[in-house]
Each structure stands twice: as structure tokens, then as C-alpha cells.
Amino acid sequence: MQDALHQLTYFSRNRLAGLEEALHDGIRDILSVARRNNATVGVTGALIFNSLCFAQILEGSREAVEHIFERIAQDDRHEDVTLLTFSPAAERLFGNWSMAYVGLSARDTERFGGFAGESGFDPRRMSADALGQAIYQLVYDRDGPA
Ligand SMILES: Cc1cc2nc3c(=O)[nH]c(=O)nc-3n(C[C@H](O)[C@H](O)[C@H](O)COP(=O)(O)O)c2cc1C
């Protein structure tokens, strides 16, 4: 069904170069556009990132998620965009956020030691399920339940 709820997960390599401040400005730009566009088409989700990678979950109608992901995949602020899952979902995980985000700063790396690890957060080494759960955990630990 075209408008049934779908969920998409991908990860990519961050190409926003530079110092922490430049990285944060870059993320702020991405988030403000993401929140505006996603709200318009009923897409919610979460983005997590560090200086090396992004991982993102998008949820909404199949058509809306597909459309947004097609644009994201062509964005040269990241590369090696790897789709992990795109399938029907029973419910939204991030219904309260047009785009929640968690940056893995040094403090987060400490706090989420098991996940961020010594060599940094590396979604290439995680299963889709583990990555989805980790994003969920990070967002809900940060912002609390709805
Ligand atoms: C890591 C990453 C995540 C992004 N997430 C979203 C998103 O959730 N929604 C969105 O509309 N654009 C997102 N973008 C931006 C899109 O690639 C694109 O620049 C934007 O959708 C263009 O919107 P505009 O035509 O309104 O300017 C993301 C970009 C990057 C690099």
C-alpha cells in the first residue's frame, strides 16, 4: 500500500570537513532544511553523526520516504550512502520529531562508550537492527520519552 508507514535506515560517510564548529554549522543547515521538508510530507526520524559518519532513520509513507531519500542520497555532504532497510513498519519510533539528532561529541563517546567505542561510532560494523536500536536509545536517552 502506497501510504502505509515505512521505515528506512541508511548510513554514510560524513564529508563535512573541518573543525568541530564547521561541522556543527553544517549539521545545523541540514537539520533546518530536513525539519522543514519532513514536516511538510509527514516524515519523522532521527539523524546521528560524528566526524566520520551519519546514520539516519526516516519514517513516513513509502512515497514520501523514497522521495526524501533520493534527494539525500545525492547530497555531496556525504558519500558511500548505504541503504540498510526500507520496509513497512507497525509504528513510528520518532513520531515527535521531524528530525531528532544526536551528535557524538567527546562527551557522548564517553557516555555511550559501548556504542561509540574506542575507534569511534562505526555503523559499517553494525547490523541494521543494532543500528536502529542504538539510534533509538541515543535519542531517548538524550531527550527522554515522549
Ligand atoms: C546526512 C544528511 C541528512 C539529510 N536529511 C534530510 C532529511 O531528513 N530531509 C530532507 O528534506 N533533507 C535532508 N537532507 C538534505 C537533502 O540532501 C537536500 O539538501 C534537501 O532535501 C534539499 O531541500 P530543498 O530542495 O528544500 O533545499 C540531508 C542531507 C544530509 C547530508
Side-chain angles (χ1 to χ4, degrees), residues 101-122:
Y101 86 102
V102 180
L104 295 177
S105 62
R107 189 174 66 96
D108 291 316
T109 305
E110 219 169 88
R111 197 163 150 228
F112 302 110
F115 173 53
E118 286 171 12
S119 55
F121 155 63
D122 187 354

Side-chain angles (χ1 to χ4, degrees), residues 10 12 16 27 29-31 33-38 43 47 54-58 68 71-78 98-99:
Y10 76 86
S12 61
L16 292 172
I27 298 290
D29 291 347
I30 289 172
L31 284 171
V33 171
R35 286 177 172 152
R36 192 192 61 216
N37 289 344
N38 296 359
V43 165
L47 174 68
F54 290 107
Q56 190 172 22
I57 294 181
L58 298 167
I68 289 201
R71 282 209 306 251
I72 294 175
Q74 287 170 23
D75 195 311
D76 61 10
R77 288 171 287 188
H78 61 175
S98 53
M99 191 46 61

Side-chain angles (χ1 to χ4, degrees), residues 1-9 57-63 65-66 83-93 129:
M1 217 172 93
Q2 198 59 240
D3 54 1
L5 182 68
H6 277 63
Q7 190 188 69
L8 180 153
T9 312
I57 294 181
L58 298 167
E59 47 195 22
S61 73
R62 183 186 174 92
E63 196 185 9
V65 168
E66 215 163 46
L83 182 64
L84 285 179
T85 57
F86 184 30
S87 46
E91 57 182 3
R92 289 181 192 256
L93 296 180
D129 270 1

Side-chain angles (χ1 to χ4, degrees), residues 7 9-11 45-50 54-57 84 93-94 97 100-104 108 111-117 120-143:
Q7 190 188 69
T9 312
Y10 76 86
F11 64 85
L47 174 68
I48 96 170
F49 68 93
N50 64 12
F54 290 107
Q56 190 172 22
I57 294 181
L84 285 179
L93 296 180
F94 303 100
W97 291 277
Y101 86 102
V102 180
L104 295 177
D108 291 316
R111 197 163 150 228
F112 302 110
F115 173 53
F121 155 63
D122 187 354
R124 287 167 303 180
R125 288 184 287 156
M126 303 175 82
S127 70
D129 270 1
L131 180 61
Q133 284 201 358
I135 293 174
Y136 183 83
Q137 200 82 53
L138 284 163
V139 168
Y140 277 84
D141 275 5
R142 166 69 49 93
D143 291 338

